[in-house]
Amino acid sequence: MKLWTGRFKKEIDPKTNDFNSSIAFDSRMYKQDIEGSKAHAAMLGQTGIIDLIESRKIVDELDSILSDIDSGKLEIDKSAEDIHTFVEGELTKRLGDSGKRLHTARSRNDQVALDIRLYLTTKCNELKSMIIGLIEVVTDKALLYKSTVMPGYTHLQRAQPITLGHHFLAYAQMLLRDIERLDDCKKRMNVSPLGSCALAGTTYPLDREAVASALGMNGVTHNSLDGVSDRDFCIELSCVLSIVMVHLSRFAEEIIMWSSFEFKFVELDDAFSTGSSIMPQKKNPDIAELVRGKSGRVFGDLMTLLTVMKGIPLAYNKDMQEDKEAVFDAVDTVTMCLTAFTPMIDTMKVNSENMRKAAAGGFINATDCADFLVSKGLPFRDAYKASGELVAKCLELGTTLEELPLCEYVTVCDLFDDGVYDAISLERCVSDRTVYGGPAPKCVEFQANRIKELLKNIGEDSK
Ligand code: ARG
């Protein structure tokens, strides 16, 4: 069934019909389309725009269409132009003239804008709980490994000692920001454009607020042109999800490195690794690599949306039908990535011994050696130079700062004494880094508990 009969003398060309149709990808919004139609029909009845009894009939029939689709009794006709056309057509098939009254004071332009907003709001909630799930896993791991010493890196060169717990919590912080961004984006998304109609609103006395509150939305859009042509919320969500993917991709990259033979910091569970078809010894971190690779798709979706939207005049243009595949792909990709990534991290084994060994090499306590001299009264710049000279000496002698005899220390600076060995021990180096946000085990414990408290409140919020 076409909604735009009357003016036309011919059917649309079949191949062009396929090109024009969006049902292949918008049928996933059938629930939201029906909920939106129910709220609109109920309001039409309450305001007396259509007969109240008739509006109730429409609402009831929409309910049975919904349950028939859910149960599989009613199949969505993939030759329909879009999900809106299909639902309205089915309603009219079942109710005759009453069904034809549903579209009073509405256009597919405000209808589709509503459906995407409702659909993506649900997705924001689902994504948020998945991200919370990953933060929980990461935070529990942080507590478990709060005292595990590992090298911290800059330029991928060993820099200063940290704890694995601290490293995990860095990701928890990123993911907490992702949640804030999702919530913020949802605020602007969850408003109703219904009543904007095709572009110019309507002469009917609609109760737009009633429709919005029946749908659990925060309010209504304030300009009918903007109401039908705004897709900022799709762009924003894809941007938020792109940032999520940046975080997952960086995490994935570290897991890939850490599970290499060269690092051997972690071992992935067999259930989250793959083998090679030719090299029997291989255990590959494919899941982490796919997550890293799929970030490109999501960035691509964001770019698609920006490009689709940038040049179209107000108000609705068919270009905007391209919004759905891009934003749905971003949502689906992040959902898939989180589904595999969270249990992969949860089941991953940590090789604390190898981390400790890596931290013991590479002079990552050279700053602490300098700080020891500062504690004896030397200005930091001079202490830095003395510590650098000691590193050079160790390199020459093939030893470490821990192993270098005190007599060598005092030749560089006579402020050194026996206390230096304690000051540069890796455990001291991390346990003394108690500055707020630092890697000391007690800081990690404090932050992990703070995050757990935060998550409790975030959980309450989304109820
Ligand atoms: N399938 C269309 C879309 O996704 C629905 C809106 C159609 N509106 C129109 N004026 N052709 O954008």
Side-chain angles (χ1 to χ4, degrees):
M1 185 200 83
K2 284 273 170 289
L3 295 175
W4 26 274
T5 47
R7 189 198 193 286
F8 287 81
K9 296 204 167 61
K10 253 192 188 173
E11 283 293 314
I12 188 167
D13 168 73
K15 284 206 171 74
T16 305
N17 189 47
D18 293 345
F19 180 67
N20 188 50
S21 164
S22 55
I23 196 140
F25 46 85
D26 67 17
S27 57
R28 64 159 86 192
M29 303 191 301
Y30 74 89
K31 256 193 188 79
Q32 290 72 26
D33 192 72
I34 293 174
E35 291 305 333
S37 287
K38 278 169 57 188
H40 179 67
M43 180 276 292
L44 290 179
Q46 277 145 17
T47 48
I49 297 171
I50 65 171
D51 177 66
L52 191 58
I53 310 285
E54 227 171 357
S55 96
R56 288 197 182 129
K57 243 169 60 185
I58 295 174
V59 171
D60 288 348
E61 205 50 53
L62 284 167
D63 264 332
S64 56
I65 292 177
L66 180 57
S67 72
D68 288 352
I69 298 177
D70 278 341
S71 69
K73 210 167 122 191
L74 174 64
E75 212 181 300
I76 294 173
D77 173 9
K78 291 293 161 97
S79 70
E81 188 179 337
D82 52 33
I83 190 63
H84 329 294
T85 312
F86 172 74
V87 172
E88 197 189 324
E90 183 63 27
L91 185 76
T92 305
K93 222 193 268 172
R94 294 181 182 202
L95 289 185
D97 280 353
S98 299
K100 294 189 208 156
R101 296 194 198 282
L102 170 65
H103 213 53
T104 315
R106 191 177 67 167
S107 154
R108 274 184 303 161
N109 298 351
D110 56 351
Q111 188 179 355
V112 72
L114 174 80
D115 293 3
I116 321 172
R117 283 172 186 270
L118 290 173
Y119 179 82
L120 293 180
T121 300
T122 320
K123 289 291 160 188
C124 279
N125 292 337
E126 286 172 22
L127 285 160
K128 182 173 166 183
S129 22
M130 294 190 87
I131 297 174
I132 291 177
L134 178 56
I135 301 176
E136 278 166 352
V137 163
V138 164
T139 309
D140 284 339
K141 290 251 174 243
L143 279 173
L144 198 60
Y145 298 108
K146 65 175 184 193
S147 309
T148 302
V149 176
M150 68 175 284
Y153 297 85
T154 62
H155 314 271
L156 201 54
Q157 304 290 318
R158 291 173 197 170
Q160 288 178 337
I162 56 169
T163 48
L164 177 59
H166 190 55
H167 199 109
F168 276 134
L169 289 188
Y171 285 104
Q173 286 306 131
M174 298 176 219
L175 295 163
L176 281 167
R177 290 196 294 276
D178 290 333
I179 285 180
E180 276 181 28
R181 273 187 283 267
L182 263 182
D183 278 343
D184 191 54
C185 152
K186 203 176 84 178
K187 266 191 267 165
R188 283 176 291 279
M189 176 187 290
N190 196 18
V191 291
S192 170
L194 274 198
S196 304
C197 300
L199 75 161
T202 180
T203 53
Y204 292 100
L206 299 184
D207 186 349
R208 296 189 59 202
E209 287 288 347
V211 173
S213 71
L215 292 168
M217 301 183 98
N218 300 332
V220 298
T221 56
H222 300 287
N223 178 295
S224 65
L225 290 175
D226 184 48
V228 287
S229 42
D230 171 25
R231 293 293 183 273
D232 289 2
F233 56 95
C234 296
I235 299 175
E236 278 191 62
L237 180 58
S238 304
C239 181
V240 170
L241 295 181
S242 292
I243 301 175
V244 170
M245 286 309 291
V246 170
H247 297 153
L248 294 185
S249 182
R250 292 182 77 175
F251 205 169
E253 164 64 12
E254 297 204 303
I255 302 302
I256 294 161
M257 264 187 332
W258 291 359
S259 49
S260 70
F261 194 81
E262 285 67 18
F263 271 85
K264 277 208 194 118
F265 282 3
V266 296
E267 186 181 345
L268 294 176
D269 193 86
D270 284 0
F272 297 96
S273 327
T274 54
S276 153
S277 57
I278 177 168
M279 298 165 282
Q281 84 284 9
K282 289 292 286 289
K283 181 167 170 182
N284 296 329
D286 287 32
I287 308 310
E289 290 168 50
L290 270 176
V291 168
R292 188 178 57 183
K294 281 185 190 289
S295 58
R297 281 179 80 119
V298 181
F299 305 163
D301 294 329
L302 170 61
M303 214 39 70
T304 300
L305 288 162
L306 288 168
T307 314
V308 165
M309 293 307 294
K310 82 177 178 64
I312 49 185
L314 297 181
Y316 179 84
N317 296 262
K318 191 72 171 224
D319 318 39
M320 289 160 71
Q321 182 165 287
E322 289 294 310
D323 59 357
K324 282 171 279 302
E325 279 166 296
V327 73
F328 293 167
D329 183 70
V331 165
D332 293 349
T333 304
V334 175
T335 303
M336 273 195 305
C337 286
L338 284 166
T339 305
F341 196 80
T342 303
M344 182 192 78
I345 298 294
D346 197 22
T347 53
M348 166 180 96
K349 279 202 193 67
V350 169
N351 191 333
S352 304
E353 216 173 287
N354 280 348
M355 287 193 163
R356 175 80 177 65
K357 253 191 242 158
F363 308 100
I364 66 178
N365 44 7
T367 317
D368 303 85
C369 178
D371 285 339
F372 176 79
L373 291 178
V374 170
S375 77
K376 300 285 177 193
L378 201 65
F380 179 76
R381 216 17 94 208
D382 298 332
Y384 168 96
K385 184 162 173 275
S387 179
E389 281 169 25
L390 284 166
V391 169
K393 200 179 270 281
C394 286
L395 286 170
E396 207 179 288
L397 302 174
T399 185
T400 61
L401 287 171
E402 289 91 326
E403 270 159 22
L404 190 72
L406 187 60
C407 57
E408 296 287 356
Y409 273 95
V410 289
T411 61
V412 170
C413 176
D414 58 10
L415 289 172
F416 276 115
D417 60 38
D418 246 2
V420 69
Y421 295 106
D422 181 41
I424 62 166
S425 88
L426 290 180
E427 279 65 29
R428 263 294 293 279
C429 292
V430 291
S431 67
D432 282 2
R433 286 185 148 75
T434 54
V435 66
Y436 184 83
K442 66 178 185 194
C443 295
V444 171
E445 192 174 329
F446 175 84
Q447 288 296 339
N449 290 328
R450 192 184 67 85
I451 291 169
K452 279 171 176 266
E453 266 320 294
L454 272 178
L455 288 186
K456 266 194 225 157
N457 297 332
I458 290 173
E460 289 296 313
D461 280 358
S462 44
K463 269 181 202 154

